[in-house]
């Protein structure tokens, strides 16, 4: 089992094109850990903003009576992919992994696969 810092380092090191990663509590909007980003891209702000995305999707699913679980949410920009993976393991309720990818260097299918493996090893 890996802790938060180790998990985020693994995400950046093992996922081609990854430029930032965060573990986020979507009940509070707080980033529990961040790694990467830049002066022009504040991961803490992005993580807090994406809690609204997760909450909105969960609320919509509830209104529609959808019973499935969200695996991940993908936001595509002209030069980036933003991948939000809700944690489902023990202790992961209310948390998501947030990954920012350079779309020119990233393989989205492999990033999703790697993020799922990293989630399985995460100790919350």
């Amino acid at each position: 089992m890996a802790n938060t810092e180790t998990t985020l380092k693994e995400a950046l090191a093992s996922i081609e094109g990854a430029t930032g990663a965060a573990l986020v509590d979507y009940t509070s909007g707080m980033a529990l850990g961040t790694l990467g980003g830049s002066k022009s891209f504040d991961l803490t702000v992005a993580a807090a903003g994406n809690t609204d995305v997760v909450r909105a999707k969960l609320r919509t699913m509830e209104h529609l009576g959808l019973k499935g679980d969200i695996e991940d949410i993908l936001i595509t920009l002209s030069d980036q992919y933003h991948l939000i993976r809700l944690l489902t393991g023990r202790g992961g309720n209310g948390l998501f992994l947030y990954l920012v990818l350079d779309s020119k260097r990233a393989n989205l299918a492999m990033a999703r696969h790697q993020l799922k493996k990293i989630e399985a090893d995460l100790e919350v």
Side-chain angles (χ1 to χ4, degrees), residues 22-26 29-34 41-54 84 96 98:
L23 179 64
V24 185
D25 178 343
Y26 65 80
M30 298 276 301
L32 304 178
T34 63
F41 190 85
D42 186 333
L43 270 172
T44 304
V45 172
N50 280 301
T51 63
D52 293 333
V53 172
V54 172
I84 299 167
F96 67 86
Y98 173 56

Side-chain angles (χ1 to χ4, degrees), residues 9-30:
K9 284 180 183 177
E10 182 181 347
L12 286 185
S14 68
I15 300 175
E16 183 69 28
T19 61
L23 179 64
V24 185
D25 178 343
Y26 65 80
T27 58
S28 69
M30 298 276 301

Side-chain angles (χ1 to χ4, degrees), residues 54-92:
V54 172
R55 290 178 192 157
K57 187 58 186 174
L58 289 170
R59 196 170 40 254
T60 301
M61 289 175 63
E62 183 180 340
H63 290 306
L64 293 172
L66 300 176
K67 300 298 181 200
D69 294 324
I70 298 172
E71 288 186 17
D72 51 41
I73 298 170
L74 172 64
I75 301 167
T76 59
L77 305 178
S78 58
D79 61 348
Q80 294 178 336
Y81 298 131
H82 293 226
L83 189 56
I84 299 167
R85 176 149 187 98
L86 276 67
L87 303 186
T88 57
R90 69 180 190 286

Side-chain angles (χ1 to χ4, degrees), residues 93-107:
N93 222 7
L95 302 178
F96 67 86
L97 282 168
Y98 173 56
L99 186 66
V100 181
L101 300 155
D102 177 341
S103 63
K104 292 174 186 65
R105 297 186 300 128
N107 177 322

